[in-house]
Each structure stands twice: as C-alpha cells, then as structure tokens.
C-alpha cells in the first residue's frame, strides 16, 4: 500500500497543488507555510470515510474555510489522490465470447470536487478509477491493462469497464445489476458508501489514515480501561496501548530495545490499574533507586518519545502522518529519531512535518519536501533534490540545514 | 587522566561503539565520549579536533571505506576535508559498520536471531545487511540491538579484518 500522489485546487492555503510521495517523506517549512493544511487533505479523506462528508467539513472548520478565502467563490474545491493497494482479484470473469479471465485491481485514483455555497456545499464531481491487470486463464494470451471507472453524478452512479483490445467483458460480470441500482444519499460521496464500491480495501484505506500530533500532557492522566486500543491522535490513550504491547513478550522485547535507543536512562515501563477502572503507566529510571514513577511526573520528552515509538513500530496502519515529531526531543537525540523514521518506513509509508533545522540536518535530501508560499501567497510544495542550484550547493559542502536556515532550499 | 573522543558517522556507529566498544576503550581514559560527525560542517569538525588537542585529550575518527579503493585513499580524502586531522587516528571500517555488527556473532548466536552464519564479513554493506534481516524483525535497529546483546569481540576479530586491525591498534 502506498500513496503515490495527492492533489488539490482551491483548498485552504493551496491554489493548485500536485505532490508525489515516496515511502518516507519529510515535509519542512516555516510557520504558517501550510504544513498542517497539507495534512488536512489526508484528514479530510479520512473523516469523510469515517464520519461522512457533512461531518468532515465541520471538522475542517466549516464550509467557508475549506476553500481558499482569497479565491473567487465560484471556483470549485477539488481534491484527489492516487494510491497503490492490492484490492482484490476477480477470477473466472467471462468475456462475451466465453473466455475466462483474472482481473487484479491494484491502483486507485479518486477525486471529487465541491462547490462551496452560502451555508453549504454541492458535489460537482465524484470519480473513481481503479486500474487492473487482465490475464486470460487459459491459453497463451498476454496479460493487459484495464480499468473500472465509477462516476457519481446527480443522475446516479455509472460503472464502466475497459479491457485490453479484443476482449469484451460486461460490467455485470464484476458489478451485479442489483448493486448498480444503488443510489447514494444526496450530499454524500463514493468513499462513504461502501455498497457503491464493492472493494473492501477501498474505504478501509481512507478510514485507516493515521495522523498524530502528540501532546505530552494528556497521556499522563489515568484513563478509563475501556478506551480505544489504537493510539489516539494526541497520544492520550498511551497507557492502554502500552498495556497491549507489554502483554505480548515479543512486542515487549522490541519496545524495550527501541526505548534503549532513544532513552537509555529508562530501565522499565509498566502499566498500573487505578481504582479498578482506570489505568496509567509508570517509568523506572536508572538514576538511583528502583522506584517506578507514575506518568504524571515524567518528562515531556520521555512521553513524546514513547508515543513516537508506539506510532512508528506498533501501529498496524499502512500510512501514518506525524506532526512535529521532534517536539521536546533533545538535539542530541534528533539524529536517532530521524534514523528511526527511515527504519520504520521499511514497513509503512511515513509523512512527517517539521520546521526544525535539526531534523533537516540529519535527513537525506531525497526524502525532503519543501513547503513555502509563492509570490501570490499560495502554499506550494517542491522537491529540493530536483533543483540544480541546491545540488550545486550540496556538492560544495554547503549542508541542507544551512540552505534551509538561509531560506535557499527553494531556489 | 585524559578523555577519549570518538568521532562516529551516524546513529548506527554510535550505537555500536556505545554498546560494544565503549567499556573496552575506557581502559586508560577518564571517559569515552562519542561525537556524531556526519552532516557536521568540516570546519566544525576541525574545531573539535583543535579543542581536543588543546585539552590534552585523545581522539579517534571512525569512517567507512565507502567508494574508496584503499584505506590510504579514504584517509587522504578525510585529510582533504578535515585539515586538522591526524590520519593515524583514523579507523577505517570495511566495508560498512553493518559488517562489524555481524562479525561478532558466532554460529549459535546468528541462528538464534534467524541469520545465516557467515564465515567472514569483510564484504558486508548496508544493502546486504538489510536484505539479510529476517522477516519477523520489523526494525533493523531492534535487530542491531539484539546483535549487540550477543556480541563477542573475540569472534569479531576472526571474522572481520578491519575490526581485527582496529583491535590490534586500539585495544590490545
Ligand atoms: N481557508 C484558507 N484560505 C486561505 N488561507 C488559509 C486558509 N486556512 C488557513 N490558511 C492559511 O494557512 C496558514 C496556516 O497554515 P498551517 O498549515 O497551519 O501552517 P504550518 O505550516 O505552520 O503548519 C494561516 O496562517 C493562513 O495563512
Ligand atoms: Mg502546523
């Protein structure tokens, strides 16, 4: 699973944006450059899949702030994404001449556009393209490319299948007629209507996008044992997540090693029950006696680092975003934190945002995306590694960090 | 008694020196301090070297051989970057620190980690190491820490020539 590209028009501080993503991406830029706005694209997709478009718009601060406040109000807001995912294989699909084929769906392009109106919104476009390979089951016929297009308009939902030349497959072979008759509730999108797109990985992918912006204070409180078991956006249910990790010897071993890497003074982590219904965690430090300290008294940096390790290594989600992960982390540890991002990115796609030169210094130029404002004041994202000028400076021993501090990475 | 400063390239070298060699190197020194120099400006590294000299302390610089053909070529390159550097204090790792990690595992230790035992590690690069990581390790850092727990300097001397040279020069 990998997001290859995201794009938007007239969204927040962006006018027209297309960004290609890799396995591991570090988005850097000064304050108010638009880092959090960029993350809002992913958040928007996720919230629509989880709570529906109406609620997702409210969660973005209301319809009037979805679009750019400086762009004329008749310009639509458009958002798109392309990602790779093994979505499923349809085998034994009959063509019109009786031959049989296997279709494997692997790439998704999804986009929608909204017209923001006084007190609400109207859906202008809602379109999904799922690419597949199409291989004949018998004989030596070659495999070719096809695609399923799903278009949602005011008149309903339309399905079209393209197949390699010379092969004709009726759409009903993969989308049964009774499913094609479904009509979405007005004002809703394809990603919030699982029955309209009968490929389970599709909605789940959006709903599972994980975004973290850790707050070192909230995880310190004791929390109800009945809370969610996957890490919350602010890390507030860390104690419950730790409880799950510590219950599994292999995960516990891994946690202990990764903690040693960043916080060598931590000897042990544990969780304790409080009044039977709540839970908090404790940390035993190597400084002197063996007394476990409750989460309420440990340092901000320690809490943040534990949250980071949980998000990077114990979260099953395929795509995670972490906002300013180096918060409260000592400069000496930043090199190690950055190397952990690269390490964790072997198993999941990672996007981090930062304005910290320390992170930039230890990063590889190929992994960096720079966000800045163009001459008209819109946020833009560029890849410094592709700039001749930046490459020339780097060849001459000027570090990335120095170029960033001097505001020259966007040259 | 004076201190020993060890210039390490990045986190993988630091972890190795911290976990395997720091206590060995401490003999004869008041303390051993590790400095990560990758990404540091050349004149800053020179500043550190001058400062260490002025305090009467000692230092080592650890570097991978990288694309250079010979130890001498790599030392010359470093000398061009860091004018204050005494190339006698340079330790060249062949080929990369990952080879030094794997060198310290005897056959039993290798198998216990799910790694194929290797007779020698003189040709191990980062890429080869990454390809060897068993599937159940989600993190290469985790695996490296498990290697350190099982590390034998004696075995490493047998399996890696550049490590043997380092041992002979600095620890014997
Ligand atoms: N609807 C909008 N229209 C135009 N600009 C916006 C809109 N919403 C936010 N902004 C701009 O985005 C800025 C905040 O960007 P943000 O992504 O939070 O910055 P950071 O890079 O620090 O995370 C605001 O200062 C404002 O200039
Ligand atoms: Mg922000």
């Amino acid at each position: 699973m990998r997001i290859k590209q995201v794009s938007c028009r007239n969204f927040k501080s962006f006018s027209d944006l297309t960004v290609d993503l890799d396995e591991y991406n570090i988005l850097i830029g000064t304050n108010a450059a638009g880092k959090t706005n960029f993350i809002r694209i992913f958040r928007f997709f996720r919230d629509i899949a989880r709570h529906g478009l109406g609620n997702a718009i409210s969660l973005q601060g209301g319809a009037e702030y979805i679009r750019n406040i400086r762009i004329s109000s008749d310009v639509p807001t458009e958002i798109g994404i392309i990602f790779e995912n093994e979505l499923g294989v349809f085998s034994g699909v009959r063509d019109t001449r009786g031959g049989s084929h296997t279709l494997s769906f692997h790439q998704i392009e999804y986009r929608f556009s909204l017209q923001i109106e006084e007190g609400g919104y109207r859906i202008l476009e809602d379109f999904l393209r799922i690419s597949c390979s199409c291989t004949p089951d018998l004989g030596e016929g070659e495999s070719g490319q096809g695609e399923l297009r799903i278009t949602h308009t005011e008149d309903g939902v339309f399905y079209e299948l393209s197949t390699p030349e010379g092969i004709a497959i009726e759409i009903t072979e993969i989308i049964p007629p009774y499913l094609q008759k479904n009509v979405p509730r007005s004002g809703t999108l394809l990603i919030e209507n699982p029955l309209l797109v009968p490929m389970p990985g599709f909605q789940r992918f959006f709903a599972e996008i994980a975004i973290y912006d850790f707050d070192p204070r909230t995880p310190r409180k004791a929390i109800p044992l009945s809370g969610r078991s996957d890490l919350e956006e602010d890390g507030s249910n860390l104690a419950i997540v730790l409880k799950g990790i510590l219950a599994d010897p292999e995960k516990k071993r891994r946690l202990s090693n990764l903690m040693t890497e960043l916080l060598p003074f931590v000897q042990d982590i544990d969780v304790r029950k409080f009044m039977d219904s709540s839970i908090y965690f404790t940390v035993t430090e190597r400084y002197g006696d063996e007394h476990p300290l409750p989460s309420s008294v440990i340092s901000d940096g320690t809490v943040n680092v534990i949250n980071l390790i949980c998000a990077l290594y114990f979260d099953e989600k395929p795509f995670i975003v972490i906002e300013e992960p180096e918060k409260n982390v000592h400069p000496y540890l930043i090199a190690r934190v950055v190397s952990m991002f690269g390490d964790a990115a072997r198993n999941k796609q990672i996007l981090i945002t930062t304005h910290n030169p320390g992170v930039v210094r230890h990063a590889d130029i190929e992994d960096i995306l720079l966000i800045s404002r163009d001459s008209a004041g819109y946020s833009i994202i560029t890849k410094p590694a592709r700039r001749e000028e930046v490459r020339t400076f780097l060849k001459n021993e000027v570090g990335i960090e120095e170029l960033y501090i001097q505001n020259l990475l966007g040259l | 008694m004076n201190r020993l400063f060890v210039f390490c390239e990045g986190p993988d070298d630091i972890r190795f020196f911290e976990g395997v060699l720091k206590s060995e190197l401490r003999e004869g020194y008041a303390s051993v301090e590790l400095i990560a120099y990758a990404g540091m400006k050349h004149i800053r590294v020179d500043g550190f070297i001058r400062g260490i000299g002025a305090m009467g302390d000692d230092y080592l610089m650890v570097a991978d051989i990288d694309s250079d053909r010979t130890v001498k070529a790599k030392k010359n390159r470093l000398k061009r970057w860091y004018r204050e550097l005494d190339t006698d204090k340079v330790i060249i790792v062949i080929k990369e620190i990952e080879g030094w990690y794997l060198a310290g595992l005897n056959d039993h230790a290798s198998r216990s980690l799910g790694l194929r035992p290797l007779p020698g590690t003189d040709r191990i690069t980062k890429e080869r190491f990454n390809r060897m990581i068993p599937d159940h390790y989600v993190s290469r850092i985790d695996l490296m820490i498990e290697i350190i727990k099982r590390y034998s300097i004696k075995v490493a001397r047998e399996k890696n020539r550049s490590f043997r040279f380092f041992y002979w020069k600095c620890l014997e």
Side-chain angles (χ1 to χ4, degrees), chain A residues 253-254 257 261 313 335-336 340 343 346-347 397 402, chain B residues 11 14-15 41-42 137-142 145-146 149:
Chain A
R253 182 198 61 71
R254 196 194 314 155
N257 279 351
E261 174 79 359
Y313 293 105
R336 298 181 195 203
M340 272 198 177
D343 186 36
R346 298 189 322 119
N347 294 294
E397 308 296 336
E402 195 63 29
Chain B
I14 296 249
R15 185 184 315 111
K41 274 204 239 141
H42 296 174
Y137 278 94
V138 190
S139 157
R140 75 194 286 277
I141 295 174
D142 178 26
I145 293 171
E146 289 297 324
K149 288 183 189 166

PDB file of all heavy atoms in Angstrom, chain A residues 253-254 257 261 313 335-336 340 343 346-347 397 402, chain B residues 11 14-15 41-42 137-142 145-146 149:
ATOM      1  N   ARG A 253       9.743  -7.030  24.169  1.00  0.00           N
ATOM      2  CA  ARG A 253      11.177  -7.042  23.899  1.00  0.00           C
ATOM      3  C   ARG A 253      11.542  -5.920  22.921  1.00  0.00           C
ATOM      4  O   ARG A 253      12.482  -5.156  23.137  1.00  0.00           O
ATOM      5  CB  ARG A 253      11.560  -8.398  23.310  1.00  0.00           C
ATOM      6  CG  ARG A 253      13.041  -8.590  23.026  1.00  0.00           C
ATOM      7  CD  ARG A 253      13.308  -9.740  22.065  1.00  0.00           C
ATOM      8  NE  ARG A 253      12.687  -9.549  20.762  1.00  0.00           N
ATOM      9  CZ  ARG A 253      13.090  -8.663  19.859  1.00  0.00           C
ATOM     10  NH1 ARG A 253      14.128  -7.889  20.110  1.00  0.00           N
ATOM     11  NH2 ARG A 253      12.452  -8.516  18.713  1.00  0.00           N
ATOM     12  N   ARG A 254      10.764  -5.800  21.857  1.00  0.00           N
ATOM     13  CA  ARG A 254      11.037  -4.787  20.847  1.00  0.00           C
ATOM     14  C   ARG A 254      10.922  -3.385  21.448  1.00  0.00           C
ATOM     15  O   ARG A 254      11.771  -2.526  21.226  1.00  0.00           O
ATOM     16  CB  ARG A 254      10.045  -4.958  19.680  1.00  0.00           C
ATOM     17  CG  ARG A 254      10.458  -4.233  18.420  1.00  0.00           C
ATOM     18  CD  ARG A 254       9.320  -4.141  17.399  1.00  0.00           C
ATOM     19  NE  ARG A 254       8.617  -5.394  17.205  1.00  0.00           N
ATOM     20  CZ  ARG A 254       7.359  -5.474  16.780  1.00  0.00           C
ATOM     21  NH1 ARG A 254       6.660  -4.392  16.512  1.00  0.00           N
ATOM     22  NH2 ARG A 254       6.779  -6.642  16.624  1.00  0.00           N
ATOM     23  N   ASN A 257      13.992  -2.554  23.536  1.00  0.00           N
ATOM     24  CA  ASN A 257      15.156  -2.216  22.714  1.00  0.00           C
ATOM     25  C   ASN A 257      15.050  -0.812  22.132  1.00  0.00           C
ATOM     26  O   ASN A 257      16.008  -0.036  22.158  1.00  0.00           O
ATOM     27  CB  ASN A 257      15.305  -3.206  21.559  1.00  0.00           C
ATOM     28  CG  ASN A 257      15.981  -4.497  21.993  1.00  0.00           C
ATOM     29  OD1 ASN A 257      16.489  -4.595  23.106  1.00  0.00           O
ATOM     30  ND2 ASN A 257      15.986  -5.480  21.121  1.00  0.00           N
ATOM     31  N   GLU A 261      17.350   2.749  22.687  1.00  0.00           N
ATOM     32  CA  GLU A 261      17.974   3.527  21.622  1.00  0.00           C
ATOM     33  C   GLU A 261      17.792   5.031  21.864  1.00  0.00           C
ATOM     34  O   GLU A 261      18.709   5.817  21.645  1.00  0.00           O
ATOM     35  CB  GLU A 261      17.345   3.118  20.278  1.00  0.00           C
ATOM     36  CG  GLU A 261      17.766   3.929  19.079  1.00  0.00           C
ATOM     37  CD  GLU A 261      19.130   3.536  18.522  1.00  0.00           C
ATOM     38  OE1 GLU A 261      19.777   2.628  19.091  1.00  0.00           O
ATOM     39  OE2 GLU A 261      19.547   4.140  17.524  1.00  0.00           O
ATOM     40  N   TYR A 313       6.260   1.877  15.374  1.00  0.00           N
ATOM     41  CA  TYR A 313       6.541   0.447  15.346  1.00  0.00           C
ATOM     42  C   TYR A 313       5.410  -0.464  15.816  1.00  0.00           C
ATOM     43  O   TYR A 313       5.501  -1.671  15.675  1.00  0.00           O
ATOM     44  CB  TYR A 313       7.770   0.143  16.199  1.00  0.00           C
ATOM     45  CG  TYR A 313       9.045   0.716  15.642  1.00  0.00           C
ATOM     46  CD1 TYR A 313       9.628   1.839  16.218  1.00  0.00           C
ATOM     47  CD2 TYR A 313       9.662   0.126  14.549  1.00  0.00           C
ATOM     48  CE1 TYR A 313      10.806   2.366  15.713  1.00  0.00           C
ATOM     49  CE2 TYR A 313      10.839   0.639  14.048  1.00  0.00           C
ATOM     50  CZ  TYR A 313      11.413   1.755  14.635  1.00  0.00           C
ATOM     51  OH  TYR A 313      12.580   2.258  14.134  1.00  0.00           O
ATOM     52  N   ALA A 335      19.183  12.997  15.686  1.00  0.00           N
ATOM     53  CA  ALA A 335      19.756  12.131  14.652  1.00  0.00           C
ATOM     54  C   ALA A 335      19.164  10.725  14.775  1.00  0.00           C
ATOM     55  O   ALA A 335      18.844  10.069  13.779  1.00  0.00           O
ATOM     56  CB  ALA A 335      21.265  12.065  14.786  1.00  0.00           C
ATOM     57  N   ARG A 336      19.022  10.257  16.014  1.00  0.00           N
ATOM     58  CA  ARG A 336      18.488   8.894  16.213  1.00  0.00           C
ATOM     59  C   ARG A 336      17.019   8.819  15.870  1.00  0.00           C
ATOM     60  O   ARG A 336      16.553   7.825  15.322  1.00  0.00           O
ATOM     61  CB  ARG A 336      18.677   8.472  17.666  1.00  0.00           C
ATOM     62  CG  ARG A 336      20.137   8.415  18.031  1.00  0.00           C
ATOM     63  CD  ARG A 336      20.302   7.970  19.458  1.00  0.00           C
ATOM     64  NE  ARG A 336      21.659   8.252  19.881  1.00  0.00           N
ATOM     65  CZ  ARG A 336      22.255   7.630  20.862  1.00  0.00           C
ATOM     66  NH1 ARG A 336      21.615   6.708  21.546  1.00  0.00           N
ATOM     67  NH2 ARG A 336      23.484   7.938  21.183  1.00  0.00           N
ATOM     68  N   MET A 340      15.235   6.547  13.006  1.00  0.00           N
ATOM     69  CA  MET A 340      14.082   5.676  13.278  1.00  0.00           C
ATOM     70  C   MET A 340      12.978   5.839  12.237  1.00  0.00           C
ATOM     71  O   MET A 340      12.309   4.872  11.894  1.00  0.00           O
ATOM     72  CB  MET A 340      13.500   5.966  14.653  1.00  0.00           C
ATOM     73  CG  MET A 340      14.161   5.156  15.717  1.00  0.00           C
ATOM     74  SD  MET A 340      13.153   5.105  17.205  1.00  0.00           S
ATOM     75  CE  MET A 340      14.195   4.009  18.172  1.00  0.00           C
ATOM     76  N   ASP A 343      13.932   3.774   9.416  1.00  0.00           N
ATOM     77  CA  ASP A 343      13.819   2.372   9.810  1.00  0.00           C
ATOM     78  C   ASP A 343      12.359   1.921   9.738  1.00  0.00           C
ATOM     79  O   ASP A 343      12.034   0.904   9.123  1.00  0.00           O
ATOM     80  CB  ASP A 343      14.366   2.246  11.243  1.00  0.00           C
ATOM     81  CG  ASP A 343      14.436   0.811  11.719  1.00  0.00           C
ATOM     82  OD1 ASP A 343      14.736  -0.079  10.898  1.00  0.00           O
ATOM     83  OD2 ASP A 343      14.188   0.572  12.922  1.00  0.00           O
ATOM     84  N   ARG A 346      10.477   1.141   6.391  1.00  0.00           N
ATOM     85  CA  ARG A 346      10.636  -0.112   5.653  1.00  0.00           C
ATOM     86  C   ARG A 346       9.326  -0.888   5.651  1.00  0.00           C
ATOM     87  O   ARG A 346       9.105  -1.748   4.819  1.00  0.00           O
ATOM     88  CB  ARG A 346      11.735  -0.970   6.272  1.00  0.00           C
ATOM     89  CG  ARG A 346      13.110  -0.286   6.219  1.00  0.00           C
ATOM     90  CD  ARG A 346      14.243  -1.203   6.617  1.00  0.00           C
ATOM     91  NE  ARG A 346      13.890  -2.080   7.701  1.00  0.00           N
ATOM     92  CZ  ARG A 346      13.880  -3.399   7.616  1.00  0.00           C
ATOM     93  NH1 ARG A 346      14.229  -3.998   6.510  1.00  0.00           N
ATOM     94  NH2 ARG A 346      13.538  -4.119   8.658  1.00  0.00           N
ATOM     95  N   ASN A 347       8.458  -0.592   6.617  1.00  0.00           N
ATOM     96  CA  ASN A 347       7.210  -1.345   6.742  1.00  0.00           C
ATOM     97  C   ASN A 347       5.932  -0.542   6.567  1.00  0.00           C
ATOM     98  O   ASN A 347       4.856  -1.098   6.587  1.00  0.00           O
ATOM     99  CB  ASN A 347       7.155  -2.021   8.109  1.00  0.00           C
ATOM    100  CG  ASN A 347       8.219  -3.073   8.225  1.00  0.00           C
ATOM    101  OD1 ASN A 347       8.172  -4.066   7.518  1.00  0.00           O
ATOM    102  ND2 ASN A 347       9.204  -2.838   9.056  1.00  0.00           N
ATOM    103  N   GLU A 397      29.776  21.361  -0.298  1.00  0.00           N
ATOM    104  CA  GLU A 397      29.880  21.278   1.160  1.00  0.00           C
ATOM    105  C   GLU A 397      28.983  22.232   1.922  1.00  0.00           C
ATOM    106  O   GLU A 397      29.200  22.480   3.094  1.00  0.00           O
ATOM    107  CB  GLU A 397      31.332  21.509   1.637  1.00  0.00           C
ATOM    108  CG  GLU A 397      32.371  20.635   0.956  1.00  0.00           C
ATOM    109  CD  GLU A 397      32.146  19.175   1.259  1.00  0.00           C
ATOM    110  OE1 GLU A 397      31.521  18.881   2.291  1.00  0.00           O
ATOM    111  OE2 GLU A 397      32.575  18.333   0.456  1.00  0.00           O
ATOM    112  N   GLU A 402      21.977  24.294   6.374  1.00  0.00           N
ATOM    113  CA  GLU A 402      22.378  25.677   6.137  1.00  0.00           C
ATOM    114  C   GLU A 402      21.488  26.300   5.049  1.00  0.00           C
ATOM    115  O   GLU A 402      21.002  27.417   5.206  1.00  0.00           O
ATOM    116  CB  GLU A 402      23.850  25.694   5.700  1.00  0.00           C
ATOM    117  CG  GLU A 402      24.514  27.049   5.755  1.00  0.00           C
ATOM    118  CD  GLU A 402      24.593  27.612   7.172  1.00  0.00           C
ATOM    119  OE1 GLU A 402      24.664  26.819   8.133  1.00  0.00           O
ATOM    120  OE2 GLU A 402      24.540  28.852   7.304  1.00  0.00           O
TER     121      GLU A 402
ATOM    122  N   PRO B  11      24.055   7.299  13.700  1.00  0.00           N
ATOM    123  CA  PRO B  11      23.473   6.533  14.803  1.00  0.00           C
ATOM    124  C   PRO B  11      23.881   5.057  14.827  1.00  0.00           C
ATOM    125  O   PRO B  11      24.041   4.501  15.921  1.00  0.00           O
ATOM    126  CB  PRO B  11      21.965   6.660  14.574  1.00  0.00           C
ATOM    127  CG  PRO B  11      21.806   7.935  13.824  1.00  0.00           C
ATOM    128  CD  PRO B  11      23.021   8.056  12.960  1.00  0.00           C
ATOM    129  N   ILE B  14      27.344   4.982  16.366  1.00  0.00           N
ATOM    130  CA  ILE B  14      27.268   5.400  17.770  1.00  0.00           C
ATOM    131  C   ILE B  14      26.746   4.255  18.629  1.00  0.00           C
ATOM    132  O   ILE B  14      27.306   3.932  19.673  1.00  0.00           O
ATOM    133  CB  ILE B  14      26.321   6.621  17.929  1.00  0.00           C
ATOM    134  CG1 ILE B  14      26.883   7.818  17.177  1.00  0.00           C
ATOM    135  CG2 ILE B  14      26.036   6.900  19.390  1.00  0.00           C
ATOM    136  CD1 ILE B  14      27.376   8.956  18.026  1.00  0.00           C
ATOM    137  N   ARG B  15      25.669   3.611  18.150  1.00  0.00           N
ATOM    138  CA  ARG B  15      25.078   2.503  18.898  1.00  0.00           C
ATOM    139  C   ARG B  15      26.102   1.392  19.085  1.00  0.00           C
ATOM    140  O   ARG B  15      26.229   0.810  20.157  1.00  0.00           O
ATOM    141  CB  ARG B  15      23.846   1.990  18.141  1.00  0.00           C
ATOM    142  CG  ARG B  15      23.058   0.911  18.844  1.00  0.00           C
ATOM    143  CD  ARG B  15      21.915   0.378  17.981  1.00  0.00           C
ATOM    144  NE  ARG B  15      21.167   1.433  17.343  1.00  0.00           N
ATOM    145  CZ  ARG B  15      21.181   1.673  16.029  1.00  0.00           C
ATOM    146  NH1 ARG B  15      21.897   0.911  15.220  1.00  0.00           N
ATOM    147  NH2 ARG B  15      20.487   2.664  15.529  1.00  0.00           N
ATOM    148  N   LYS B  41      29.580  20.473   9.702  1.00  0.00           N
ATOM    149  CA  LYS B  41      30.436  21.194   8.767  1.00  0.00           C
ATOM    150  C   LYS B  41      31.897  20.863   9.013  1.00  0.00           C
ATOM    151  O   LYS B  41      32.325  20.680  10.144  1.00  0.00           O
ATOM    152  CB  LYS B  41      30.215  22.693   8.929  1.00  0.00           C
ATOM    153  CG  LYS B  41      29.054  23.157   8.105  1.00  0.00           C
ATOM    154  CD  LYS B  41      29.205  24.633   7.800  1.00  0.00           C
ATOM    155  CE  LYS B  41      28.016  25.355   8.341  1.00  0.00           C
ATOM    156  NZ  LYS B  41      28.191  26.603   8.931  1.00  0.00           N
ATOM    157  N   HIS B  42      32.682  20.832   7.941  1.00  0.00           N
ATOM    158  CA  HIS B  42      34.079  20.422   8.066  1.00  0.00           C
ATOM    159  C   HIS B  42      34.852  21.305   9.020  1.00  0.00           C
ATOM    160  O   HIS B  42      35.651  20.819   9.823  1.00  0.00           O
ATOM    161  CB  HIS B  42      34.740  20.403   6.680  1.00  0.00           C
ATOM    162  CG  HIS B  42      34.117  19.386   5.777  1.00  0.00           C
ATOM    163  ND1 HIS B  42      34.444  19.248   4.466  1.00  0.00           N
ATOM    164  CD2 HIS B  42      33.166  18.459   6.021  1.00  0.00           C
ATOM    165  CE1 HIS B  42      33.727  18.269   3.927  1.00  0.00           C
ATOM    166  NE2 HIS B  42      32.939  17.799   4.852  1.00  0.00           N
ATOM    167  N   TYR B 137      11.622  -9.357  12.060  1.00  0.00           N
ATOM    168  CA  TYR B 137      12.124  -8.098  12.619  1.00  0.00           C
ATOM    169  C   TYR B 137      11.517  -6.921  11.879  1.00  0.00           C
ATOM    170  O   TYR B 137      11.801  -6.683  10.711  1.00  0.00           O
ATOM    171  CB  TYR B 137      13.657  -8.028  12.559  1.00  0.00           C
ATOM    172  CG  TYR B 137      14.273  -8.756  13.714  1.00  0.00           C
ATOM    173  CD1 TYR B 137      14.655 -10.082  13.594  1.00  0.00           C
ATOM    174  CD2 TYR B 137      14.407  -8.128  14.945  1.00  0.00           C
ATOM    175  CE1 TYR B 137      15.163 -10.773  14.676  1.00  0.00           C
ATOM    176  CE2 TYR B 137      14.916  -8.811  16.032  1.00  0.00           C
ATOM    177  CZ  TYR B 137      15.292 -10.139  15.891  1.00  0.00           C
ATOM    178  OH  TYR B 137      15.780 -10.803  16.966  1.00  0.00           O
ATOM    179  N   VAL B 138      10.662  -6.186  12.571  1.00  0.00           N
ATOM    180  CA  VAL B 138      10.020  -5.024  11.983  1.00  0.00           C
ATOM    181  C   VAL B 138      11.034  -3.891  11.856  1.00  0.00           C
ATOM    182  O   VAL B 138      10.880  -2.976  11.062  1.00  0.00           O
ATOM    183  CB  VAL B 138       8.858  -4.557  12.888  1.00  0.00           C
ATOM    184  CG1 VAL B 138       8.032  -3.504  12.190  1.00  0.00           C
ATOM    185  CG2 VAL B 138       8.014  -5.731  13.313  1.00  0.00           C
ATOM    186  N   SER B 139      12.097  -3.957  12.693  1.00  0.00           N
ATOM    187  CA  SER B 139      13.028  -2.843  12.776  1.00  0.00           C
ATOM    188  C   SER B 139      14.468  -3.337  12.693  1.00  0.00           C
ATOM    189  O   SER B 139      14.842  -4.279  13.392  1.00  0.00           O
ATOM    190  CB  SER B 139      12.813  -2.136  14.118  1.00  0.00           C
ATOM    191  OG  SER B 139      13.958  -1.429  14.506  1.00  0.00           O
ATOM    192  N   ARG B 140      15.267  -2.711  11.838  1.00  0.00           N
ATOM    193  CA  ARG B 140      16.679  -3.108  11.785  1.00  0.00           C
ATOM    194  C   ARG B 140      17.411  -2.632  13.039  1.00  0.00           C
ATOM    195  O   ARG B 140      18.365  -3.255  13.484  1.00  0.00           O
ATOM    196  CB  ARG B 140      17.356  -2.622  10.495  1.00  0.00           C
ATOM    197  CG  ARG B 140      17.668  -1.151  10.448  1.00  0.00           C
ATOM    198  CD  ARG B 140      18.002  -0.684   9.042  1.00  0.00           C
ATOM    199  NE  ARG B 140      19.318  -1.097   8.572  1.00  0.00           N
ATOM    200  CZ  ARG B 140      20.453  -0.459   8.845  1.00  0.00           C
ATOM    201  NH1 ARG B 140      20.446   0.604   9.604  1.00  0.00           N
ATOM    202  NH2 ARG B 140      21.591  -0.887   8.344  1.00  0.00           N
ATOM    203  N   ILE B 141      16.941  -1.531  13.613  1.00  0.00           N
ATOM    204  CA  ILE B 141      17.557  -1.037  14.850  1.00  0.00           C
ATOM    205  C   ILE B 141      17.380  -2.082  15.957  1.00  0.00           C
ATOM    206  O   ILE B 141      18.309  -2.395  16.703  1.00  0.00           O
ATOM    207  CB  ILE B 141      16.923   0.309  15.259  1.00  0.00           C
ATOM    208  CG1 ILE B 141      17.242   1.376  14.210  1.00  0.00           C
ATOM    209  CG2 ILE B 141      17.397   0.736  16.647  1.00  0.00           C
ATOM    210  CD1 ILE B 141      16.558   2.722  14.434  1.00  0.00           C
ATOM    211  N   ASP B 142      16.183  -2.647  16.031  1.00  0.00           N
ATOM    212  CA  ASP B 142      15.893  -3.693  17.013  1.00  0.00           C
ATOM    213  C   ASP B 142      16.863  -4.861  16.824  1.00  0.00           C
ATOM    214  O   ASP B 142      17.463  -5.360  17.777  1.00  0.00           O
ATOM    215  CB  ASP B 142      14.430  -4.124  16.826  1.00  0.00           C
ATOM    216  CG  ASP B 142      14.014  -5.243  17.757  1.00  0.00           C
ATOM    217  OD1 ASP B 142      14.622  -5.371  18.838  1.00  0.00           O
ATOM    218  OD2 ASP B 142      13.067  -5.983  17.413  1.00  0.00           O
ATOM    219  N   ILE B 145      20.355  -4.088  18.020  1.00  0.00           N
ATOM    220  CA  ILE B 145      20.474  -4.121  19.480  1.00  0.00           C
ATOM    221  C   ILE B 145      20.549  -5.569  19.973  1.00  0.00           C
ATOM    222  O   ILE B 145      21.318  -5.897  20.872  1.00  0.00           O
ATOM    223  CB  ILE B 145      19.304  -3.337  20.122  1.00  0.00           C
ATOM    224  CG1 ILE B 145      19.447  -1.846  19.770  1.00  0.00           C
ATOM    225  CG2 ILE B 145      19.279  -3.530  21.638  1.00  0.00           C
ATOM    226  CD1 ILE B 145      18.263  -0.978  20.136  1.00  0.00           C
ATOM    227  N   GLU B 146      19.782  -6.458  19.327  1.00  0.00           N
ATOM    228  CA  GLU B 146      19.867  -7.876  19.696  1.00  0.00           C
ATOM    229  C   GLU B 146      21.260  -8.434  19.371  1.00  0.00           C
ATOM    230  O   GLU B 146      21.782  -9.274  20.095  1.00  0.00           O
ATOM    231  CB  GLU B 146      18.791  -8.695  18.973  1.00  0.00           C
ATOM    232  CG  GLU B 146      17.368  -8.437  19.471  1.00  0.00           C
ATOM    233  CD  GLU B 146      17.170  -8.835  20.939  1.00  0.00           C
ATOM    234  OE1 GLU B 146      17.762  -9.840  21.375  1.00  0.00           O
ATOM    235  OE2 GLU B 146      16.430  -8.130  21.652  1.00  0.00           O
ATOM    236  N   LYS B 149      23.638  -7.481  22.097  1.00  0.00           N
ATOM    237  CA  LYS B 149      23.465  -8.286  23.318  1.00  0.00           C
ATOM    238  C   LYS B 149      24.250  -9.590  23.246  1.00  0.00           C
ATOM    239  O   LYS B 149      24.602 -10.171  24.254  1.00  0.00           O
ATOM    240  CB  LYS B 149      21.985  -8.620  23.529  1.00  0.00           C
ATOM    241  CG  LYS B 149      21.132  -7.446  23.966  1.00  0.00           C
ATOM    242  CD  LYS B 149      19.697  -7.946  24.198  1.00  0.00           C
ATOM    243  CE  LYS B 149      18.748  -6.774  24.421  1.00  0.00           C
ATOM    244  NZ  LYS B 149      17.342  -7.209  24.313  1.00  0.00           N
TER     245      LYS B 149
END
